[in-house]
Amino acid sequence: MLGCHYGPKGFRDRVPRVETNGLPSGGRVLCVAMFIAILFAVPLPPQVAQRLLGGALTDGVAYSRLAELTDTIGPRLSGSAGAEAAVRWARQKFQQDGLSVHLEAVKVPHWVRGEERGEILPEPGIVGHPLVLTALGGSVGTPASGASGEVVEAHSIAEIAALGDKARGKIVFLNHTMGTKGGYGDFVGLRTRGPSEAGKVGAAAVVLRSLATASLRSPHTGTLVYDPAAPRIPAAAVSVEDAELIHRLLQRGTVRIRLWLGCRWLPDADSANVVADVRGREIPDEIVLLGAHLDSWDLATGATDDGAGVVIVMEVGRLLVKDLPRRTVRIVLYMNEENGLAGGKGYAAAHEAELTRHVAALEADSGSGRPVGVTMHAGEGGVALLKPWLGPLESLGLGEPAEGEAGGADIGPMAPAAVPFVGIQQETSHYFDTHHSAADTLDKVQPESLGKAAAAFAVVAYALAEMPQPLPRPAAQPARNRQEPAKPAPAH
Amino acid sequence: MLGCHYGPKGFRDRVPRVETNGLPSGGRVLCVAMFIAILFAVPLPPQVAQRLLGGALTDGVAYSRLAELTDTIGPRLSGSAGAEAAVRWARQKFQQDGLSVHLEAVKVPHWVRGEERGEILPEPGIVGHPLVLTALGGSVGTPASGASGEVVEAHSIAEIAALGDKARGKIVFLNHTMGTKGGYGDFVGLRTRGPSEAGKVGAAAVVLRSLATASLRSPHTGTLVYDPAAPRIPAAAVSVEDAELIHRLLQRGTVRIRLWLGCRWLPDADSANVVADVRGREIPDEIVLLGAHLDSWDLATGATDDGAGVVIVMEVGRLLVKDLPRRTVRIVLYMNEENGLAGGKGYAAAHEAELTRHVAALEADSGSGRPVGVTMHAGEGGVALLKPWLGPLESLGLGEPAEGEAGGADIGPMAPAAVPFVGIQQETSHYFDTHHSAADTLDKVQPESLGKAAAAFAVVAYALAEMPQPLPRPAAQPARNRQEPAKPAPAH
């Protein structure tokens, strides 16, 4: 049944129509050349597409592996026993699948959470309230007696700075209006940079309204980035409900908060990226890289961030070893995406010499939602080159590929080497309901959507590895700065 | 603008059409009598309706009082300082509003939660997991070293009993399939009776899948009822996510749990119902009772359960003192609905002699959603008698009143006295998302919906207190048994 969607008729319909009328002579020559190139391009053979789609959609392997990863290994924060267990688990799965797998050592930061709690202190006529909070990743802890102070509210980095002396010794409450997933990119700077900005004006601590699109009193963590030039002060996210409460109480008068954060830094730990190759049958030195991150936050089992990505790219490997494409497809399970990016930076550094032979890179780090589109950041003509190969994606409801945001935190460090980035866009309307919270658990994953996402990654990866010519390379770019994510924000 | 909905034309349309053709002579006489009665009935005067609706919909008093109650007083579990503060607060508000208010002492159970936590213990090849749990209200605590054991799953009271010796020393995990609000009535028996049933077969403790329609790792408490004939064992609700995890892990093999519950019972405490009268201008001895409960669970500020009900019925009092109806409208803010019903039982006992003069009772304990209908459990003809008075509710989108489920936990003890119960049905599709959980907070309340609910209660209360004849009384019924709630379940 799937075949009917990407059979010969479907393919003909998708051949780009070449219009020559009115074009100048040079353009006409170019068009003829493109037409010839397309005729010579052998698109994705239907029987291969059928095996890839059929395997991803019906074998159930991605979902059962996600259950195994999350239920039997659990949270995987860098430096934790869970992270190391996940490395061993992934290596074994790749071996089982017949991929050539090895570990690449990375040194990772090791931060642990400890006990944490907080409260709004009682004021005359106003009862005290417990706060549901969680330390931001990387925060320093408070003294054992806690950190306390009067609350001052700010809504932007500029407003923090403008507080000046008014923030001295106070708790800076960072409030915002995130309501949809797009708000993450708008406000994540409050989380990453807010604590140091508050430290610069002498604040005692920071509480941030969770970056979330839904809340049942559930705080969302995520990394902060301390500015070396600023005092390091403790910082925690409070649930949306608690943020609204603080905001309301500030309308009534003085609000004082006390919080206890037991989090602390340990010495850097030894860990690893897991690198597995589906060796290309004709041009094995050219590499299509698929990345996802094996680490997760510690509050939950990271089923959607990024367990889903892990099993999606593993599934591509499992399916492609049965239908080897021309080029090598490399699956990289990065370590430490969440709080340091040591894996992403480490891979780019260790493989610097061969990045020119990385013909494309994709990252699966947007959860387990169904695929909704393919985007590309490549050189001119890349979209037209790939388009004829993606007919099988019609059966998943995807339209044609388009220029657009593509990339990811882990593959970002390869941008200076002008590696073309391809993105499989996924449905993410509920992604930030649970992102970085204790509710990022397996039950949030729909097996059907996960299978469709794996199918889309498999088809695109096969196409990129099988096309006679690789994608044209884009202009080299600086590596992405985590503190200033692009919009729409990559999920990190 | 509101007037156009309940003006003269609207009233004419709503006069019940009396059909006499073909009726036997006795019936004809009855019809003529009814017709005369209706002509003499002066329905709700438009200017009064306008004042009631306008005040409830635009003054914003109900919402601002709910904010004050939840933000400045907070949780109100029986026996707590919050509960007593709420009693004082409510008395003061009634006084401000010009009602005649007094307290009626009730002795209430005093249960406190303490620290609580739990975990799934590691097994060979399976990591341990923290459990997000909360003690069921009234549970005994565990020893300081916790209660632990292997998990056995059951889905009904019958399945618990059928476990027999297999449950001895184990943790009984009560799982179910609640997905919509209707599931509450289906499965609440697992919460109330499950712990004692598990105790009877020798279990060490119980963990219950939370009774919830949404979850972000948020457990929902609620009362259990220990059977005096069974051993008292500790019981907690786990979040839906944790329940699903336990269920999945049981497919993999043995699951062991340890939980620590610091909850305990203290001596019964002195507390009170707050009783406030809008004294009727003509027949003050006849009483229309409006109830809501002032106590809440301790995990949150009880904004929807039942802070909303409290401010709704207070709003009726505030509005009616400006337009006194014939009969007395009595507002009763009951204490201890959640874990004992001392207030509801106490009121019915203390007022036993005058319950025959309680001409109707309504309870507001379904949250803050907009009103969607009026139901009634009264004697025959009650609906027809009330209907002409409810024209103003058309402007709120309500249809005609109907026979149906009406009542509530607090007014239930008046059922043996054949008090007619009237119900204002409210929109409750999200009520069980937060019910009895830490997420029952003010932000879940839409001021507009709350205002509409207060408006509906005001109109119905005025009508019941102003109609020339009171509602016919239903047959006397036994008092409702909390352990076997009617379906659809009253929200308790």
Side-chain angles (χ1 to χ4, degrees):
Chain A
M1 202 180 97
L2 292 170
C4 65
H5 292 282
Y6 51 82
K9 181 182 176 300
F11 172 61
R12 277 198 308 275
D13 289 344
R14 283 189 307 276
V15 172
R17 279 178 193 82
V18 178
E19 307 283 358
T20 59
N21 288 348
L23 277 180
S25 172
R28 200 169 294 171
V29 170
L30 182 67
C31 283
V32 171
M34 279 175 64
F35 187 74
I36 292 169
I38 288 164
L39 282 185
F40 273 85
V42 179
L44 212 153
Q47 66 278 18
V48 173
Q50 211 154 12
R51 284 194 291 269
L52 296 179
L53 290 169
L57 295 176
T58 65
D59 290 357
V61 173
Y63 186 80
S64 74
R65 283 188 176 173
L66 184 56
E68 192 177 321
L69 175 65
T70 55
D71 286 353
T72 75
I73 292 175
R76 305 172 296 282
L77 188 58
S78 294
S80 69
E84 294 321 292
V87 167
R88 294 191 296 274
W89 174 86
R91 180 170 57 181
Q92 186 194 16
K93 293 294 175 195
F94 281 130
Q95 284 168 341
Q96 277 177 16
D97 289 343
L99 278 72
S100 167
V101 59
H102 68 280
L103 305 184
E104 299 190 355
V106 288
K107 204 80 166 175
V108 295
H110 191 183
W111 176 86
V112 292
R113 181 169 301 280
E115 298 284 323
E116 50 193 16
R117 64 195 167 90
E119 62 186 16
I120 297 171
L121 298 167
E123 298 289 333
I126 298 181
V127 73
H129 291 270
L131 287 171
V132 183
L133 56 70
T134 194
L136 295 186
S139 174
V140 296
T142 64
S145 58
S148 64
E150 189 182 329
V151 173
V152 287
E153 181 171 338
H155 307 86
S156 65
I157 296 295
E159 279 190 28
I160 300 171
L163 285 171
D165 265 357
K166 287 183 201 153
R168 189 155 304 278
K170 306 270 176 71
I171 310 276
V172 172
F173 163 46
L174 299 177
N175 201 1
H176 56 81
T177 55
M178 179 174 177
T180 62
K181 60 181 180 175
Y184 189 74
D186 296 336
F187 299 114
V188 69
L190 286 178
R191 190 191 74 205
T192 54
R193 297 165 55 203
S196 279
E197 294 302 311
K200 287 176 189 169
V201 289
V206 159
V207 291
L208 167 76
R209 178 189 178 111
S210 284
L211 295 167
T213 45
S215 188
L216 290 171
R217 208 86 182 268
S218 36
H220 295 231
T221 189
T223 200
L224 56 70
V225 180
Y226 282 130
D227 180 340
R232 296 185 167 213
I233 62 171
V238 294
S239 77
V240 170
E241 286 90 339
D242 291 276
E244 301 224 336
L245 174 63
I246 294 168
H247 179 78
R248 288 193 307 270
L249 290 178
L250 283 168
Q251 317 311 308
R252 294 189 187 272
T254 301
V255 178
R256 265 180 277 261
I257 278 177
R258 183 181 296 273
L259 64 164
W260 293 260
L261 303 181
C263 47
R264 65 191 195 281
W265 285 88
L266 301 176
D268 285 356
D270 292 318
S271 191
N273 291 333
V274 184
V275 181
D277 281 354
V278 177
R279 193 173 161 80
R281 67 171 198 277
E282 289 181 12
I283 329 171
D285 286 352
E286 289 189 1
I287 294 162
V288 173
L289 186 147
L290 268 67
H293 66 88
L294 203 45
D295 62 308
S296 77
W297 280 107
D298 55 335
L299 296 175
T301 56
T304 72
D305 187 13
D306 183 27
V310 166
V311 300
I312 285 169
V313 297
M314 289 178 95
E315 184 68 351
V316 177
R318 185 183 77 88
L319 294 168
L320 261 54
V321 288
K322 304 172 196 167
D323 274 303
L324 294 182
R326 283 198 177 94
R327 300 184 185 81
T328 291
V329 172
R330 175 169 294 172
I331 318 290
V332 184
L333 300 182
Y334 293 96
M335 181 52 63
N336 186 227
E337 191 270 353
E338 293 293 6
N339 60 338
L341 216 59
K345 292 173 183 166
Y347 180 89
H351 295 264
E352 191 178 5
E354 58 172 354
L355 291 186
T356 52
R357 291 185 281 106
H358 280 56
V359 300
L362 299 81
E363 185 157 337
D365 189 14
S366 299
S368 58
R370 68 183 169 80
V372 294
V374 178
T375 51
M376 186 187 296
H377 179 74
E380 208 177 326
V383 166
L385 211 58
L386 182 60
K387 196 158 64 175
W389 290 77
L390 302 190
L393 297 186
E394 279 184 23
S395 68
L396 300 173
L398 274 73
E400 297 186 338
E403 296 267 344
E405 176 70 23
D410 285 310
I411 62 176
M414 299 193 293
V419 176
F421 290 159
V422 179
I424 311 287
Q425 305 301 321
Q426 293 174 250
E427 206 287 318
T428 55
S429 58
H430 289 286
Y431 184 69
F432 289 101
D433 292 359
T434 61
H435 179 251
H436 293 188
S437 83
D440 184 2
T441 47
L442 185 67
D443 50 285
K444 307 308 182 302
V445 176
Q446 301 298 322
E448 299 77 8
S449 301
L450 182 71
K452 286 181 180 177
F457 272 89
V459 166
V460 173
Y462 188 94
L464 291 166
E466 185 68 12
M467 291 156 56
Q469 294 298 319
L471 293 178
R473 297 176 86 82
Q477 291 185 335
R480 286 277 165 71
N481 184 340
R482 164 66 61 102
Q483 293 183 50
E484 293 171 358
K487 295 179 190 179
H492 59 80
Chain B
M1 202 181 97
L2 291 169
C4 65
H5 291 282
Y6 52 81
K9 179 181 178 303
F11 170 61
R12 278 197 307 274
D13 289 346
R14 284 190 305 279
V15 172
R17 280 179 191 80
V18 179
E19 307 283 1
T20 58
N21 288 348
L23 276 181
S25 171
R28 200 168 294 172
V29 169
L30 182 66
C31 283
V32 171
M34 280 175 64
F35 187 73
I36 292 169
I38 289 166
L39 281 184
F40 273 85
V42 180
L44 213 151
Q47 67 277 18
V48 172
Q50 211 155 11
R51 283 194 292 268
L52 296 179
L53 291 169
L57 295 176
T58 65
D59 290 357
V61 173
Y63 186 79
S64 75
R65 282 188 177 173
L66 183 57
E68 192 177 322
L69 175 64
T70 56
D71 286 353
T72 75
I73 292 175
R76 304 172 297 281
L77 188 58
S78 293
S80 69
E84 294 320 291
V87 167
R88 293 190 297 273
W89 174 87
R91 179 170 55 179
Q92 186 193 17
K93 293 294 175 195
F94 281 130
Q95 283 168 341
Q96 276 177 17
D97 289 344
L99 278 73
S100 166
V101 58
H102 68 279
L103 305 185
E104 298 189 356
V106 288
K107 205 80 166 174
V108 295
H110 191 185
W111 176 88
V112 292
R113 181 170 300 280
E115 298 284 322
E116 51 193 16
R117 63 194 168 91
E119 62 186 15
I120 298 171
L121 298 167
E123 298 289 333
I126 297 181
V127 74
H129 291 269
L131 287 171
V132 183
L133 56 71
T134 194
L136 295 186
S139 175
V140 296
T142 64
S145 58
S148 63
E150 189 182 328
V151 173
V152 287
E153 182 170 337
H155 308 86
S156 65
I157 296 295
E159 278 189 30
I160 300 172
L163 285 172
D165 265 358
K166 287 182 201 154
R168 189 155 303 279
K170 307 271 177 69
I171 310 275
V172 172
F173 164 46
L174 299 177
N175 202 359
H176 57 80
T177 55
M178 179 173 176
T180 61
K181 61 181 179 174
Y184 189 74
D186 296 335
F187 299 114
V188 69
L190 287 177
R191 189 190 75 206
T192 53
R193 297 165 54 204
S196 278
E197 293 302 310
K200 287 177 190 169
V201 289
V206 159
V207 290
L208 167 76
R209 178 190 178 111
S210 284
L211 295 167
T213 45
S215 189
L216 290 171
R217 208 86 181 268
S218 36
H220 296 230
T221 191
T223 201
L224 56 71
V225 181
Y226 282 130
D227 180 340
R232 297 186 167 213
I233 62 172
V238 294
S239 78
V240 170
E241 287 90 339
D242 291 276
E244 302 224 335
L245 174 63
I246 294 168
H247 179 77
R248 289 194 306 271
L249 290 177
L250 283 168
Q251 318 309 308
R252 295 189 186 271
T254 301
V255 178
R256 265 180 277 263
I257 279 177
R258 183 181 294 274
L259 64 162
W260 293 261
L261 303 181
C263 47
R264 65 192 194 280
W265 285 88
L266 301 176
D268 285 356
D270 291 318
S271 191
N273 292 332
V274 184
V275 181
D277 282 353
V278 176
R279 192 173 161 82
R281 69 171 198 276
E282 289 182 11
I283 330 172
D285 286 352
E286 290 189 0
I287 294 162
V288 173
L289 185 148
L290 267 67
H293 66 89
L294 204 44
D295 62 309
S296 77
W297 281 106
D298 55 335
L299 296 176
T301 56
T304 72
D305 187 14
D306 185 26
V310 166
V311 299
I312 285 170
V313 297
M314 288 178 95
E315 185 67 352
V316 177
R318 186 184 75 89
L319 294 168
L320 261 55
V321 288
K322 302 172 197 167
D323 274 301
L324 295 182
R326 281 198 178 93
R327 298 183 185 81
T328 291
V329 172
R330 174 170 295 174
I331 319 291
V332 183
L333 300 183
Y334 292 96
M335 181 51 62
N336 186 228
E337 190 271 354
E338 293 294 4
N339 61 336
L341 215 60
K345 291 174 182 167
Y347 180 89
H351 295 264
E352 193 178 3
E354 59 173 352
L355 292 186
T356 52
R357 290 185 281 107
H358 280 57
V359 299
L362 298 81
E363 184 157 338
D365 188 15
S366 298
S368 58
R370 67 182 169 83
V372 294
V374 177
T375 51
M376 186 188 295
H377 179 74
E380 210 178 326
V383 166
L385 211 57
L386 182 61
K387 197 158 62 175
W389 290 78
L390 302 191
L393 298 185
E394 279 182 25
S395 67
L396 301 173
L398 273 73
E400 296 186 336
E403 295 268 343
E405 176 70 24
D410 285 309
I411 62 175
M414 297 192 293
V419 176
F421 290 158
V422 179
I424 310 287
Q425 304 301 320
Q426 293 174 251
E427 207 287 317
T428 55
S429 57
H430 289 287
Y431 184 68
F432 289 101
D433 293 359
T434 60
H435 180 250
H436 293 187
S437 82
D440 184 2
T441 47
L442 184 67
D443 50 285
K444 307 308 182 303
V445 175
Q446 300 299 322
E448 298 78 8
S449 301
L450 182 72
K452 286 180 180 176
F457 272 89
V459 166
V460 173
Y462 188 94
L464 291 166
E466 184 69 11
M467 291 157 56
Q469 294 299 319
L471 292 178
R473 297 176 85 84
Q477 291 184 337
R480 286 277 164 71
N481 184 341
R482 164 66 60 100
Q483 292 184 51
E484 293 172 357
K487 295 180 191 181
H492 58 77

